[in-house]
């Protein structure tokens, strides 16, 4: 039985559902919040709600944006012949931080994983095919993690997207084995992009 009043217990339980927040941190944050200035807590709650209501997915690339199409899709100075395919919207931030990539992006929204019930049709692959038909794309750079699902998804994409005049490459060089982009530092990502290799269908 918990010695804490019920409202603190349920706040702790809600906070513990957030990514990266374990039960102990959740309890610490809850205890902080119930003792903080009421106005400060209200501000935090409003910031959370406000962000949730104002952020949407870009209708073209699938990134998180306030206005769709997003700033990257709308930026005519970016190289529209290059599309970098990533798993999650936050991966765009990682690649943007590395600072050298000047092409466009496409967020898949996951990786193919039969074990977790993620099939190709659950991902934004159809949207990507549509873009290949309407945008002047000459190279698709697959920047998925180096784990089993990342490998499987990359090979599936290379097969499905194959068409005349389109190069399909994959980054990988130097990326930590079995992990996603979020674990790579900027220099590593930069080199991985630089050292991307063309995928061939055999
Ligand atoms: Zn976009």
């Amino acid at each position: 039985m918990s010695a804490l009043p019920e409202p603190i217990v349920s706040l702790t339980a809600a906070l513990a559902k957030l990514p990266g927040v374990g039960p102990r941190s959740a309890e610490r944050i809850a205890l902080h919040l119930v003792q903080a200035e009421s106005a400060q807590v209200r501000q935090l709650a409003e910031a959370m709600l406000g962000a949730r209501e104002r952020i949407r997915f870009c209708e073209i690339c699938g990134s998180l944006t306030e206005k769709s199409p997003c700033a990257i899709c709308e930026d005519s100075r970016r190289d529209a012949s290059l599309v970098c395919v990533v798993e999650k919207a936050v991966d765009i931030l990682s690649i943007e931080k590395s600072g050298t990539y000047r092409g466009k992006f496409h967020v898949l929204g996951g990786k193919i994983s039969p074990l977790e019930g993620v099939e190709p049709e659950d991902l934004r692959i159809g949207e990507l095919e549509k873009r290949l038909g309407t945008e002047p794309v000459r190279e698709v750079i697959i920047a998925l993690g180096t784990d089993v699902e990342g490998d499987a998804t990359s090979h599936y994409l290379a097969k499905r997207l194959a068409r005349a005049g389109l190069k399909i490459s994959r980054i990988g060089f130097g990326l930590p084995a079995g992990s996603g982009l979020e674990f790579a530092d900027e220099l590593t990502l930069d080199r991985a992009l630089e050292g991307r290799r063309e995928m061939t269908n055999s």
Side-chain angles (χ1 to χ4, degrees):
M1 251 193 71
S2 172
L4 290 168
E6 193 282 327
I8 301 180
V9 174
S10 32
L11 177 57
T12 303
L15 289 167
K17 287 190 184 136
L18 298 173
V21 181
R24 298 195 84 157
S25 327
E27 192 178 282
R28 213 169 60 230
I29 299 169
L31 288 170
H32 168 80
L33 289 173
V34 296
Q35 297 173 84
E37 291 281 340
S38 199
Q40 193 198 339
V41 179
R42 184 177 306 278
Q43 210 174 44
L44 173 64
E46 279 167 2
M48 288 164 75
L49 272 176
R52 179 61 192 89
E53 274 155 19
R54 282 160 58 194
I55 296 297
R56 66 192 72 201
F57 293 111
C58 171
E59 66 206 83
I60 298 173
C61 71
S63 73
L64 296 173
T65 178
E66 230 186 308
K67 156 176 111 39
S68 177
C70 72
I72 293 179
C73 286
E74 292 261 80
D75 188 347
S76 57
R77 287 163 306 176
R78 295 190 75 115
D79 186 351
S81 72
L82 285 177
V83 172
C84 180
V85 176
V86 294
E87 181 192 345
K88 297 171 298 216
V90 292
D91 295 333
I92 294 180
L93 297 179
S94 306
I95 293 179
E96 284 295 280
K97 259 190 250 159
S98 83
T100 43
Y101 181 68
R102 297 299 301 156
K104 309 260 176 168
F105 289 97
H106 192 86
V107 180
L108 274 190
K111 286 179 286 192
I112 299 168
S113 172
L115 281 179
E116 285 168 41
V118 184
E119 305 287 340
E121 56 270 27
D122 299 319
L123 305 176
R124 301 182 64 255
I125 300 174
E127 285 89 338
L128 179 55
E129 288 178 314
K130 223 176 277 167
R131 291 182 70 181
L132 296 181
T134 56
E135 296 176 31
V137 184
R138 280 182 300 142
E139 181 176 355
V140 169
I141 303 168
I142 302 176
L144 301 174
T146 51
D147 54 357
V148 179
E149 288 86 12
D151 280 346
T153 310
S154 299
H155 285 105
Y156 177 85
L157 283 177
K159 263 214 170 79
R160 179 158 159 188
L161 301 178
R163 59 205 67 202
L166 182 71
K167 182 173 165 186
I168 299 175
S169 59
R170 185 178 179 197
I171 73 166
F173 173 76
L175 279 186
S179 71
L181 298 192
E182 69 266 39
F183 300 108
D185 60 51
E186 289 144 38
L187 187 64
T188 307
L189 263 182
D190 202 19
R191 283 193 191 140
L193 266 168
E194 211 42 49
R196 63 185 186 266
R197 301 216 175 103
E198 183 160 5
M199 294 184 78
T200 45
N201 286 301
S202 46

